[in-house]
Amino acid sequence: MSDRLGDRLATAREEGFVGRRGETTAFRELLAAGRGAAVYVHGPGGIGKTTLLHHFAQIARRAGRTVVQLEASGVRSFEEELAERIPDRPDLVLLIDGLDDARAARETVHRELLPRLPADALVALACRTAPPLSWRLDPAWQGLLRLLPLGPLDEADSRELLTRRGVPPAVQEQGLAFTRGHPLALALVADVAALGGEAAGPEPSPQVVRALLASLLEAVPTPLHRTALEASSQVLSTTEPLLAALLDVPDARPYFDWLCGLSAVESGARGVHPHDLVRDALDAELRWRDPERRAALHRRASAYYQRLFTREDDRGRQRAVLADFAYLHRDSPVVGPLLEPVARGAAGAARLDRLTVSPGPVTGGELVEACTVAAIHEGIEAARLVHEWSRRPEAETYTVRGPDGVAAGFYTLIELGGAPPPGGPDDPAVRAACGWLDAYGELRGDETALLVRFWMSRDEYQAVSPVQTLITLRLTHHYLTGRQPAVTLLPFADPEFWEPGCAYVDFARLPAADFTSGGHRFGMFVHDWRRVPGLAWLAMLTERERAEDPFAVAPPAPSGPLRVLDREVFAAAVRDALREFARPDGLRDSPLLETRLVAGRCAADAVDGTGARERVAALERVAALRDAIRAAAAALEESPPDRRAFRALHHTYLRPAGTQARAAELLRLPMTTYRRHLAAGIGRLTELLWQEELEGGGPEAP
């Protein structure tokens, strides 16, 4: 008996396999011939392509062949796969599933992977669509490429499948009448029967899937199981912690395990998700039957993503969460079309996952690739500027790379003050941006603006594409983490096309900063993170996602105008706040209540699963200011060099001893030493709060 779960699953899968005798015979013949060949399996969703590839793998293993199975969505680079997972052996059998996720992946397999395999290797590929005409017309592949189109199972095989899954004969007759051999529909019949339900509805596919899902929903064990299935259709991928948040239960393990056992639910690198046909049917059914529950699931998912984003230390996980967050907006008529790569669900997410962004600013060959892309779309002058900015400390250029390892796009970020950087390139975009910042930006001290100087895909330029979507998500991550800019300036070559989408995400059109470069006119957009901090911005998007008119949801506004204090005034306000800290109503008139420091913390508190509140009550702002002071003091306490300063602060303001003389006595310090420690504590506390004011990071700020 096997002692590995994977072996048990493989055995169970093989025992449940039926039909496909012609395809199996063809594969066995190619295997026995011992010559190189490529088998291309194609057919619509749910027709059994993945199951057939697993069957091929079992046959090859029994024949003693070396088998490697890949999921196209999990392949970042075929170069890496060749080096790490695909051995150079004549007995190799390579199976790649899910090539329909991206045409680029399919073309990479054709041009770069297959020619580098051993001459005797047998390859099986699975895709929803037939291979491109170029494959079939390529003389090099004549005699090597074998097409295996999949259709429905015949009646005998359909009956055998239901029998092996324990479906009673009486139920089989009813199921056979309307599934018409569609394997996914037959699997759903088995799920419904196993739960004691009745699969009814003589409808053709895909209507048959909807009818079967209705039966499945009626037969689920409990209402929470039903909600779990419905919830999985609303999010990009479902993990156990996410499911607990969606169901509002402390432990979702039983419901997650139940989802994993359903035939209609598939697993991937991000979690589990329903089959595409099942997802569409579940979503459509929930949309008309219970729109309030659907909206509630979206709110809970959004709140979960925001909490995870602010509390998670893993930057890769943070970036992945932004894709999940974007998926919630797929139905928006304004931004849905702009999110097409994400809106495609698991397949779209897989396309994004196959793209990578350089871990740091690029130099050398990667920089040359970026300059080449810039020259293609914006001319030699743009390429020169990309190269010159790469030498400047204010600028960073990152490349986006495809599965083939070649640059598929890039973006350049420039950190600006109120004037162009001394000695920097003469750049019309920087001149225009700095002109506006000098007149209207109100930058203080160390505050900076972020100009997204260049951003483009190699093939689509600034049109909607996976590369454009990934750049958008990476820029969003940049805005919300680390040293956050006071404002972001974002130019577009086609501002009219992007203006509605920019308005949706609160990037305002800024004609005063438009510019011309290389003969191209660019329109500028701006967002002020001091007035709408990151968490408040995410919460606003949550409200807009579920609003009938998203533009009726105004950006969150503080109870009064957000005040932009200079450092001296800010420090004086901190000293006053400390003196009033111990009084219950002592902070209600503090100028700090109207600053970015407090607005960012109130936005974080407002993320509670019910949506962002447009106005934050005065008491909440006072509580946020108290929390900010306590958090800064706690940071001093945790720092050994600052602990004496913290104790002076603690006994003077946080838990006052009554008088400074009494505080010095408690600390057993001479008055002069006590006052020196207190001054140091006030200075360090002010420094920490000022840093948070500039970065606008709320409770998670450094």
Side-chain angles (χ1 to χ4, degrees):
M1 177 180 293
S2 172
D3 58 354
R4 294 184 181 274
L5 179 59
D7 295 335
R8 290 170 56 194
L9 292 173
T11 300
R13 185 184 296 119
E14 189 65 8
E15 289 175 350
F17 183 84
V18 299
R20 308 303 187 196
R21 283 175 284 276
E23 294 83 357
T24 300
T25 298
F27 184 79
R28 289 185 187 278
E29 290 174 351
L30 292 172
L31 200 63
R35 296 190 300 271
V39 177
Y40 193 104
V41 180
H42 62 95
I47 205 66
K49 301 181 294 296
T50 300
T51 302
L52 183 60
L53 255 61
H54 283 306
H55 184 55
F56 286 170
Q58 288 295 97
I59 293 173
R61 289 190 181 98
R62 292 195 192 104
R65 302 289 289 268
T66 299
V67 178
V68 176
Q69 290 180 268
L70 300 177
E71 172 61 43
S73 62
V75 175
R76 289 188 176 273
S77 164
F78 284 114
E79 187 76 29
E80 295 178 6
E81 299 294 343
L82 283 166
E84 299 175 5
R85 296 177 60 187
I86 304 177
D88 186 9
R89 295 172 56 109
D91 64 344
L92 174 66
V93 174
L94 175 63
L95 306 107
I96 306 178
D97 195 9
L99 283 178
D100 49 281
D101 285 342
R103 185 176 184 275
R106 187 167 58 181
E107 291 302 316
T108 302
V109 168
H110 177 226
R111 292 195 311 266
E112 301 180 18
L113 175 63
L114 299 184
R116 297 174 63 180
L117 295 177
D120 296 334
L122 178 57
V123 183
L125 312 171
C127 188
R128 291 190 180 185
T129 58
L133 188 61
S134 59
W135 286 39
R136 287 171 279 172
L137 296 181
D138 187 346
W141 287 98
Q142 296 299 314
L144 295 178
L145 185 63
R146 181 72 174 270
L147 303 185
L148 294 181
L150 292 190
L153 299 173
D154 60 28
E155 182 177 349
D157 290 336
S158 299
R159 188 182 300 279
E160 184 181 354
L161 187 152
L162 294 177
T163 299
R164 291 192 182 188
R165 300 205 177 193
V167 179
V171 178
Q172 288 185 21
E173 295 302 325
Q174 188 181 34
L176 291 171
F178 63 91
T179 57
R180 302 183 184 183
H182 191 278
L184 175 60
L186 289 164
L188 282 169
V189 168
D191 281 343
V192 172
L195 291 169
E198 295 184 2
E203 302 281 351
S205 181
Q207 287 85 353
V208 63
V209 176
R210 296 194 182 97
L212 286 164
L213 281 173
S215 300
L216 179 61
L217 288 170
E218 291 300 323
V220 293
T222 69
L224 271 180
H225 285 83
R226 177 181 183 129
T227 302
L229 185 57
E230 292 170 337
S232 70
S233 72
Q234 300 304 307
V235 295
L236 191 57
S237 289
T238 304
T239 61
E240 190 174 317
L242 172 58
L243 187 61
L246 295 175
L247 299 181
D248 194 21
V249 297
D251 181 12
R253 180 65 178 270
Y255 310 103
F256 187 77
D257 289 346
W258 177 77
L259 278 180
C260 294
L262 293 177
S263 304
V265 173
E266 303 174 344
S267 61
R270 292 171 173 261
V272 299
H273 56 88
H275 187 281
D276 290 346
L277 293 176
V278 175
R279 183 197 291 275
D280 292 344
L282 281 169
D283 186 34
E285 195 269 345
L286 184 61
R287 188 192 300 269
W288 73 261
R289 181 180 56 81
D290 196 346
E292 290 78 13
R293 180 186 293 190
R294 186 175 186 270
L297 289 170
H298 279 226
R299 286 195 299 270
R300 290 177 179 177
S302 179
Y304 173 82
Y305 296 143
Q306 291 178 63
R307 289 195 300 270
L308 189 61
F309 186 81
T310 56
R311 298 173 186 175
E312 179 65 60
D313 293 331
D314 184 351
R315 294 176 67 84
R317 182 69 183 119
Q318 287 179 339
R319 290 190 286 263
V321 163
L322 287 174
D324 291 279
F325 186 84
Y327 181 71
L328 296 177
H329 297 258
R330 62 192 180 277
D331 294 331
S332 168
V334 180
V335 296
L338 307 180
L339 296 170
E340 185 274 334
V342 172
R344 289 188 56 206
R351 294 172 68 187
L352 292 182
D353 290 343
R354 282 196 298 272
L355 300 172
T356 58
V357 177
S358 57
V362 298
T363 57
E366 290 183 306
L367 179 62
V368 171
E369 290 178 305
C371 292
T372 302
V373 174
I376 291 172
H377 294 292
E378 295 185 10
I380 296 299
E381 177 64 13
R384 182 186 66 80
L385 287 171
V386 172
H387 188 267
E388 290 194 20
W389 279 118
S390 72
R391 302 176 177 177
R392 300 287 304 181
E394 307 89 357
E396 298 176 338
T397 293
Y398 298 84
T399 55
V400 178
R401 316 193 78 75
D404 55 2
V406 177
F410 81 98
Y411 58 96
T412 297
L413 310 177
I414 304 177
E415 195 174 75
L416 297 175
D426 182 18
D427 188 333
V430 172
R431 288 201 310 270
C434 289
W436 181 83
L437 289 168
D438 182 53
Y440 308 106
E442 299 180 312
L443 297 181
R444 304 168 298 172
D446 294 333
E447 283 185 340
T448 59
L450 182 71
L451 171 64
V452 185
R453 176 58 183 94
F454 297 99
W455 66 273
M456 63 190 73
S457 161
R458 178 193 62 206
D459 299 328
E460 294 90 1
Y461 186 37
Q462 291 186 356
V464 176
S465 69
V467 172
Q468 167 269 325
T469 299
L470 181 60
I471 290 175
T472 299
L473 296 177
R474 283 301 182 98
L475 290 176
T476 302
H477 185 259
H478 190 95
Y479 305 153
L480 300 178
T481 60
R483 179 170 171 76
Q484 300 172 5
V487 298
T488 294
L489 296 158
L490 182 59
F492 290 87
D494 186 358
E496 289 75 20
F497 173 79
W498 289 99
E499 187 164 3
C502 285
Y504 184 96
V505 296
D506 198 41
F507 273 67
R509 184 74 172 87
L510 199 62
D514 288 357
F515 63 94
T516 299
S517 179
H520 302 278
R521 182 73 177 173
F522 293 85
M524 191 76 78
F525 293 80
V526 65
H527 179 81
D528 191 328
W529 299 103
R530 298 166 299 184
R531 284 169 168 74
V532 183
L535 293 176
W537 180 74
L538 289 175
M540 176 202 70
L541 294 182
T542 297
E543 294 295 311
R544 288 186 169 182
E545 180 267 321
R546 64 192 186 94
E548 185 174 345
D549 178 8
F551 296 111
V553 178
S559 56
L562 195 66
R563 297 186 62 175
V564 180
L565 306 178
D566 63 31
R567 199 186 194 292
E568 184 177 345
V569 174
F570 184 91
V574 171
R575 290 193 295 271
D576 291 341
L578 286 172
R579 283 192 286 268
E580 300 293 330
F581 188 85
R583 294 176 53 195
D585 59 349
L587 299 180
R588 66 182 182 182
D589 297 322
S590 173
L592 298 174
L593 297 177
E594 300 168 3
T595 61
R596 191 183 186 197
L597 167 74
V598 171
R601 286 180 168 270
C602 290
D605 293 342
V607 179
D608 58 3
T610 61
R613 293 164 288 204
E614 290 188 6
R615 303 280 181 179
V616 180
L619 289 177
E620 291 175 302
R621 298 180 73 79
V622 169
L625 177 55
R626 289 186 185 280
D627 287 344
I629 293 173
R630 289 193 185 100
L636 296 183
E637 184 181 19
E638 293 174 3
S639 171
D642 294 322
R643 281 178 186 158
R644 289 180 296 181
F646 162 77
R647 294 189 187 106
L649 274 176
H650 178 78
H651 289 296
T652 307
Y653 298 125
L654 305 182
R655 296 286 297 275
T659 65
Q660 290 194 1
R662 176 59 180 154
E665 183 181 340
L666 286 173
L667 294 170
R668 300 178 181 178
L669 295 174
M671 183 59 71
T672 53
T673 304
Y674 157 76
R675 286 176 176 166
R676 187 172 69 251
H677 290 176
L678 179 61
I682 294 172
R684 286 288 292 124
L685 186 85
T686 302
E687 181 182 338
L688 292 175
L689 294 176
W690 176 248
Q691 190 68 21
E692 186 172 340
E693 165 72 3
L694 294 181
E695 298 186 353
E700 301 301 320

